[in-house]
Amino acid sequence: MFRLLLFAAALALACGGAEAAKLDQTAVNQAQFGVGQPKGDNPTILKAQILLDRARFSPGLIDGRLSKNFAKAVSAFQTANGFQSDGTLTRETWDKLMATSASPVLVAYEVTRKDVRGPFTKRIPARMERMARLPRLGYRNAVEKLAERFHVSEQLLRRLNPRAGFGRAGVTLMVPDVGRGDPPAGVASVEVDKGARQVRVLDPSGRWLAVYPASIGSDEKPAPSGMAEIKRVAQNPTYHYDPHFAFKGVKTKRPFTIAAGPNNPVGSVWIDLSIESYGIHGTPEPGKIGATFSHGCIRLTNWDAEDLASMVQKGTKVNFKDEMADADVKLAD
């Protein structure tokens, strides 16, 4: 119910007129707070999403539209700063968010030869057994690769650049500046909140250093409870399927291995936990984070999983939290 209230509160504030606003560099960089924002593409919401992403209160996939992940990111930012935490983008929240960074949120980016060279995997089958036949699970094309680099949906990237040729080096694109800066110092532990579908990075006092939306377990394959610790971090991992997992839709009774790549079932990074066969990892489908369930592990967008991996080390504690509880959250400086 709390999650639904967060989304409803943000929706009530930010929706107004029936037509979508134009998205361009000027409109987004100069967007201001206002009640009754239009539906659809929204410069104010897009600007807020990018700034939340920079501040490591991740909205997940940046798309310039209202979503539950956006409302939860606003709520987390509010909680960390001592504001009323209801997910509504208030004037107070907006002003504090604007104070986190003065740099433009949309910037020009020149596509490089590496961006368009690949290697790409144009066709990726839905069934895991068939994925195991491929030599690599790469991006499907340059658009997907660029969208993931800048944390945006492919649809938004195209709307920001309606006349661009994404497959050519030298093309200039308008993209979000999602540079998060150096990883924060003083990481003490990681908290997996199963009720909120969030992963939080904490300092020794319990202050939130980063918050990411997550897909966490299911009724069929629930996430674990209690305490764990990180054993290792594997970049660009392969995926090993054990028939004992008995995942729905996997028919083979034999183990198999799926090659590495960002469209691998565990994405671009695997953070191995001390609980056997469980980890925190990326995903080939960032738009589904927080909206679907996992096979028991903790699934983040690739960029959030990579960000988390840069902060933790062997032995970092991971606390699985079964119920939401905001009372013990420490305020940001």
Side-chain angles (χ1 to χ4, degrees):
M1 177 63 73
F2 180 69
R3 294 194 296 273
L4 292 177
L5 287 174
L6 291 182
F7 182 61
L11 191 67
L13 174 77
C15 285
E19 297 183 358
K22 181 180 180 182
L23 291 183
D24 59 33
Q25 188 175 22
T26 300
V28 177
N29 285 337
Q30 296 182 5
Q32 300 296 321
F33 176 82
V35 177
Q37 301 295 333
K39 294 180 181 179
D41 297 335
N42 188 321
T44 300
I45 298 301
L46 178 53
K47 186 174 184 177
Q49 286 179 336
I50 297 169
L51 288 173
L52 285 164
D53 187 283
R54 277 188 199 168
R56 289 189 165 91
F57 289 86
S58 173
L61 193 67
I62 294 172
D63 60 5
R65 296 171 178 241
L66 291 163
S67 67
K68 291 182 180 180
N69 281 342
F70 171 66
K72 289 196 295 184
V74 171
S75 178
F77 182 80
Q78 290 169 327
T79 298
N81 285 282
F83 301 155
Q84 179 181 345
S85 176
D86 62 4
T88 303
L89 190 59
T90 62
R91 165 65 72 179
E92 181 183 42
T93 306
W94 173 267
D95 289 345
K96 186 69 175 180
L97 189 56
M98 294 305 107
T100 63
S101 177
S103 300
V105 294
L106 281 188
V107 296
Y109 173 77
E110 184 174 322
V111 177
T112 67
R113 291 182 180 179
K114 184 177 180 181
D115 292 329
V116 300
R117 187 170 60 235
F120 298 119
T121 307
K122 293 182 179 180
R123 293 180 178 85
I124 298 177
R127 291 184 58 184
M128 295 175 70
E129 299 100 314
R130 293 180 179 176
M131 288 183 192
R133 302 173 186 173
L134 299 176
R136 176 174 169 77
L137 275 293
Y139 294 113
R140 292 175 176 85
N141 49 49
V143 178
E144 184 181 38
K145 184 177 182 179
L146 288 163
E148 183 146 311
R149 175 171 181 172
F150 296 107
H151 309 179
V152 299
S153 67
E154 292 181 45
Q155 294 79 7
L156 176 61
L157 186 61
R158 291 184 186 279
R159 290 198 297 271
L160 289 171
N161 302 279
R163 292 177 293 277
F166 292 94
R168 293 185 293 110
V171 171
T172 298
L173 303 178
M174 287 298 115
V175 299
D177 180 357
V178 288
R180 288 172 167 171
D182 295 333
V187 171
S189 63
V190 175
E191 181 177 80
V192 179
D193 191 325
K194 294 191 282 185
R197 295 193 195 183
Q198 287 182 329
V199 171
R200 306 180 187 120
V201 180
L202 312 180
D203 75 0
S205 72
R207 183 169 64 97
W208 295 358
L209 301 175
V211 180
Y212 311 111
S215 292
I216 305 173
S218 65
D219 291 337
E220 178 189 6
K221 299 288 183 180
S225 297
M227 294 294 298
E229 64 180 42
I230 291 171
K231 292 173 59 179
R232 67 187 179 98
V233 173
Q235 300 286 346
N236 201 31
T238 54
Y239 176 79
H240 304 285
Y241 179 78
D242 185 332
H244 289 99
F245 296 161
F247 290 168
K248 185 177 180 180
V250 180
K251 297 180 180 180
T252 184
K253 302 299 182 183
R254 298 180 179 179
F256 58 82
T257 297
I258 297 176
N263 275 316
N264 177 295
V266 294
S268 60
V269 66
W270 169 267
I271 302 172
D272 199 27
L273 299 179
S274 57
I275 303 172
E276 186 177 0
S277 79
Y278 284 95
I280 304 172
H281 62 83
T283 180
E285 298 180 293
K288 293 185 177 181
I289 292 299
T292 58
F293 296 100
S294 72
H295 287 124
C297 289
I298 301 88
R299 189 182 301 159
L300 310 176
T301 65
N302 278 339
W303 54 87
D304 286 340
E306 291 165 8
D307 196 46
L308 176 63
S310 72
M311 302 182 206
V312 299
Q313 57 187 344
K314 182 178 180 180
T316 300
K317 302 299 181 183
V318 179
N319 176 29
F320 285 87
K321 197 172 184 179
D322 291 313
E323 300 294 336
M324 291 181 66
D326 296 328
D328 58 349
V329 174
K330 300 297 177 65
L331 304 185
D333 292 335

mmCIF file of all heavy atoms in Angstrom, residues 1 31 39 82 170 221 254 266 269 289:
data_model
loop_
_atom_site.group_PDB
_atom_site.id
_atom_site.type_symbol
_atom_site.label_atom_id
_atom_site.label_comp_id
_atom_site.label_asym_id
_atom_site.label_seq_id
_atom_site.Cartn_x
_atom_site.Cartn_y
_atom_site.Cartn_z
ATOM 1 N N MET A 1 0.822 -1.201 0.000
ATOM 2 C CA MET A 1 0.000 0.000 0.000
ATOM 3 C C MET A 1 0.861 1.258 0.000
ATOM 4 O O MET A 1 0.576 2.233 -0.677
ATOM 5 C CB MET A 1 -0.926 -0.024 1.233
ATOM 6 C CG MET A 1 -1.774 1.226 1.370
ATOM 7 S SD MET A 1 -2.916 1.468 -0.009
ATOM 8 C CE MET A 1 -4.101 0.191 0.376
ATOM 9 N N ALA A 31 14.433 23.587 -17.126
ATOM 10 C CA ALA A 31 13.154 23.214 -16.510
ATOM 11 C C ALA A 31 13.094 23.683 -15.063
ATOM 12 O O ALA A 31 14.084 23.638 -14.332
ATOM 13 C CB ALA A 31 12.968 21.706 -16.583
ATOM 14 N N LYS A 39 1.297 15.453 -19.018
ATOM 15 C CA LYS A 39 1.517 14.023 -19.089
ATOM 16 C C LYS A 39 2.586 13.712 -20.132
ATOM 17 O O LYS A 39 2.975 14.558 -20.926
ATOM 18 C CB LYS A 39 0.222 13.306 -19.462
ATOM 19 C CG LYS A 39 -0.878 13.399 -18.421
ATOM 20 C CD LYS A 39 -2.105 12.654 -18.904
ATOM 21 C CE LYS A 39 -3.242 12.758 -17.894
ATOM 22 N NZ LYS A 39 -4.459 12.065 -18.361
ATOM 23 N N GLY A 82 15.844 14.327 5.477
ATOM 24 C CA GLY A 82 15.016 14.755 6.605
ATOM 25 C C GLY A 82 13.699 15.391 6.234
ATOM 26 O O GLY A 82 13.087 16.068 7.066
ATOM 27 N N GLY A 170 30.835 9.898 -35.185
ATOM 28 C CA GLY A 170 30.900 11.322 -35.478
ATOM 29 C C GLY A 170 29.587 12.051 -35.311
ATOM 30 O O GLY A 170 29.568 13.285 -35.293
ATOM 31 N N LYS A 221 10.542 -18.424 -5.957
ATOM 32 C CA LYS A 221 11.959 -18.423 -5.604
ATOM 33 C C LYS A 221 12.250 -17.207 -4.728
ATOM 34 O O LYS A 221 12.744 -16.177 -5.189
ATOM 35 C CB LYS A 221 12.831 -18.379 -6.863
ATOM 36 C CG LYS A 221 12.649 -19.553 -7.805
ATOM 37 C CD LYS A 221 13.259 -20.824 -7.242
ATOM 38 C CE LYS A 221 13.137 -21.970 -8.242
ATOM 39 N NZ LYS A 221 13.724 -23.231 -7.715
ATOM 40 N N ARG A 254 19.705 -30.866 -17.837
ATOM 41 C CA ARG A 254 21.163 -30.831 -17.824
ATOM 42 C C ARG A 254 21.667 -29.420 -17.524
ATOM 43 O O ARG A 254 21.034 -28.443 -17.899
ATOM 44 C CB ARG A 254 21.706 -31.277 -19.174
ATOM 45 C CG ARG A 254 21.346 -32.699 -19.556
ATOM 46 C CD ARG A 254 21.919 -33.058 -20.910
ATOM 47 N NE ARG A 254 21.604 -34.436 -21.281
ATOM 48 C CZ ARG A 254 21.976 -35.006 -22.421
ATOM 49 N NH1 ARG A 254 22.680 -34.288 -23.310
ATOM 50 N NH2 ARG A 254 21.661 -36.259 -22.680
ATOM 51 N N VAL A 266 22.461 -12.502 -16.074
ATOM 52 C CA VAL A 266 22.897 -11.762 -14.889
ATOM 53 C C VAL A 266 23.613 -10.466 -15.266
ATOM 54 O O VAL A 266 24.266 -9.842 -14.436
ATOM 55 C CB VAL A 266 23.776 -12.623 -13.953
ATOM 56 C CG1 VAL A 266 22.956 -13.756 -13.374
ATOM 57 C CG2 VAL A 266 25.008 -13.168 -14.684
ATOM 58 N N VAL A 269 27.610 -7.675 -14.400
ATOM 59 C CA VAL A 269 28.380 -7.891 -13.176
ATOM 60 C C VAL A 269 27.619 -8.816 -12.234
ATOM 61 O O VAL A 269 26.377 -8.801 -12.186
ATOM 62 C CB VAL A 269 28.703 -6.544 -12.476
ATOM 63 C CG1 VAL A 269 27.445 -5.864 -11.975
ATOM 64 C CG2 VAL A 269 29.692 -6.731 -11.326
ATOM 65 N N ILE A 289 13.093 -3.607 -13.959
ATOM 66 C CA ILE A 289 13.575 -3.569 -12.575
ATOM 67 C C ILE A 289 12.534 -2.907 -11.675
ATOM 68 O O ILE A 289 12.021 -1.831 -11.964
ATOM 69 C CB ILE A 289 14.913 -2.818 -12.481
ATOM 70 C CG1 ILE A 289 16.009 -3.618 -13.168
ATOM 71 C CG2 ILE A 289 15.294 -2.531 -11.025
ATOM 72 C CD1 ILE A 289 16.269 -4.984 -12.558
#
